[in-house]
Amino acid sequence: MFLSTVTNNLDAKGRVSVPADFRSTISNDSKRSPFDGIVIWPSLDGNFLEGGGISLMEDFQASLDLKEHYDPERSALQYAIFASSRQLAFDGGGRVSLPKDMHEFANLNGKVTFVGLGRRFEIWNPKLFEERRESILTLARESRHILKTSNSGDVR
Amino acid sequence: MFLSTVTNNLDAKGRVSVPADFRSTISNDSKRSPFDGIVIWPSLDGNFLEGGGISLMEDFQASLDLKEHYDPERSALQYAIFASSRQLAFDGGGRVSLPKDMHEFANLNGKVTFVGLGRRFEIWNPKLFEERRESILTLARESRHILKTSNSGDVR
DNA sequence: TTAATAATGGGATAACATGGGATTGTATGG
DNA sequence: CCATACAATCCCATGTTATCCCATTATTAA
């Protein structure tokens, strides 16, 4: 499970260390398929990247298999995620190198922020993430009374 | 699993490098049947090619075997895929040579784009692919809220 | 303090995509 | 049956890019 938020350096070669906690999450989970690395793709929700272990893609594959072949949703998702994604292998130090087009998409330079979100994670420009975080937390505060009454402990 | 999108050169001899990731996907998967290459066929959905490893054909075969011999769907698919497909072996450098009729069908000249879609991939004229990609991603963005809920929450 | 885990920098090495020539194979006609 | 022409395949050479490997520093744990 991907938890916590970590900011690491993006070096001149385009490499960045994946947080050690994320790496161990991936290696624990990847007994099924032994790709030692991550998969990332550009988000549909904004200028940041989304990612996870290869098993995330396999789960996704399985859910696509349930849809009809001609289902437009199915091909939309295949293009948006499978076709737009990249597999990035870890080097000996647990780093991956982010492709240049991904740099541009997510406005990455110097530092990148990994945001753990359970099954998957996000990769942000730290400054943009801070703005996003502020606005989302504001929203959460405003609506927290709704959360209290509407469920008993299962806040997501 | 076939992931990401890669554009490579089509040389004067009609050869093109299959992306290294695709090749390793095929060789990992082909323990069942050791054909070192790909299988391609003209798509039924437009002017592009579809393809995969030989194991993909075996999966098709298996699902066709579930249908009755006289099932019209069965023979239609046999004609559309098995009869229309070609096996293309890798050369020493991981290239295949695309037959001329396939060039014409998919409007290939100079550069070709490999699009990973999980179990299979597509081969496009880069320009045509870009148009298709734009329209599909637009659709995906518009319906992404639906997509989120339809995929057990966490996979977008 | 010492050892162990992480993150990071940089040089050496291997992999990949690509072009061109040489060789083999295959179909066709004599 | 052999000879020829054409095309397909193999093989090697190249530049570029990515990856491997080692060294250094910082942080944490024993």
Side-chain angles (χ1 to χ4, degrees):
Chain A
M1 191 167 201
F2 301 110
L3 296 177
S4 90
T5 298
V6 177
T7 299
N8 285 336
N9 282 12
L10 185 64
D11 71 16
K13 290 182 177 178
R15 298 177 300 186
V16 61
S17 288
V18 174
D21 287 351
F22 286 24
R23 298 204 302 268
S24 66
T25 294
I26 287 168
S27 68
N28 288 337
D29 195 38
S30 74
K31 290 157 193 161
R32 317 190 248 172
S33 68
F35 171 67
D36 194 31
I38 63 176
V39 179
I40 62 171
W41 65 93
S43 175
L44 293 175
D45 287 330
N47 288 346
F48 59 94
L49 308 174
E50 302 190 33
I54 189 75
S55 64
L56 180 62
M57 292 288 120
E58 287 166 354
D59 292 346
F60 188 48
Q61 173 82 267
S63 90
L64 284 182
D65 285 344
L66 299 177
K67 297 182 190 297
E68 297 296 329
H69 193 275
Y70 56 81
D71 189 331
E73 214 177 274
R74 174 176 164 141
S75 53
L77 286 169
Q78 285 180 327
Y79 270 64
I81 300 189
F82 289 151
S84 305
S85 72
R86 304 285 302 262
Q87 292 188 63
L88 308 179
F90 295 136
D91 70 6
R95 289 174 293 192
V96 296
S97 57
L98 294 172
K100 290 184 198 64
D101 52 334
M102 298 283 189
H103 287 205
E104 291 165 13
F105 180 84
N107 282 293
L108 302 180
N109 41 19
K111 290 192 174 294
V112 304
T113 299
F114 288 83
V115 184
L117 296 173
R119 289 187 199 290
R120 59 183 183 84
F121 55 83
E122 293 177 355
I123 297 177
W124 283 82
N125 173 315
K127 201 168 145 66
L128 297 179
F129 173 67
E130 198 48 41
E131 293 168 11
R132 157 96 159 193
R133 187 171 169 275
E134 287 301 328
S135 68
I136 286 198
L137 287 187
T138 300
L139 181 65
R141 277 185 214 102
E142 285 167 358
S143 54
R144 69 184 187 280
H145 57 284
I146 296 170
L147 299 180
K148 281 178 190 167
T149 57
S150 64
N151 68 62
S152 47
D154 194 18
V155 179
R156 207 114 125 83
Chain B
M1 188 165 206
F2 299 109
L3 296 176
S4 94
T5 298
V6 177
T7 298
N8 285 335
N9 283 11
L10 185 64
D11 70 16
K13 292 181 177 179
R15 298 176 301 184
V16 62
S17 287
V18 175
D21 286 351
F22 286 23
R23 298 204 302 267
S24 66
T25 294
I26 287 168
S27 68
N28 288 338
D29 195 39
S30 73
K31 289 157 194 161
R32 320 190 245 172
S33 67
F35 171 66
D36 194 31
I38 64 177
V39 179
I40 62 171
W41 65 94
S43 175
L44 295 174
D45 291 327
N47 287 346
F48 59 94
L49 308 174
E50 302 189 35
I54 190 76
S55 64
L56 181 63
M57 291 291 123
E58 289 165 355
D59 292 345
F60 281 155
Q61 177 78 268
S63 83
L64 285 181
D65 286 345
L66 299 177
K67 297 182 186 300
E68 300 295 333
H69 272 283
Y70 55 79
D71 188 329
E73 207 176 293
R74 172 172 166 146
S75 46
L77 287 173
Q78 285 177 326
Y79 271 67
I81 300 188
F82 291 141
S84 309
S85 72
R86 305 283 301 262
Q87 290 189 61
L88 308 178
F90 296 136
D91 71 6
R95 289 175 292 193
V96 296
S97 57
L98 294 173
K100 289 184 197 63
D101 53 334
M102 298 282 189
H103 287 205
E104 290 164 15
F105 180 83
N107 281 292
L108 301 180
N109 41 19
K111 289 191 175 292
V112 303
T113 299
F114 289 82
V115 183
L117 296 175
R119 297 192 192 291
R120 60 185 181 83
F121 55 82
E122 294 176 354
I123 297 177
W124 283 81
N125 173 314
K127 202 168 144 68
L128 297 179
F129 171 67
E130 198 48 42
E131 293 168 11
R132 157 96 160 189
R133 184 173 173 274
E134 286 301 328
S135 68
I136 287 198
L137 287 189
T138 299
L139 179 68
R141 278 189 208 97
E142 284 168 358
S143 57
R144 69 183 189 278
H145 299 299
I146 299 168
L147 303 183
K148 282 179 197 169
T149 57
S150 66
N151 280 292
S152 64
D154 236 336
V155 179
R156 289 186 185 180

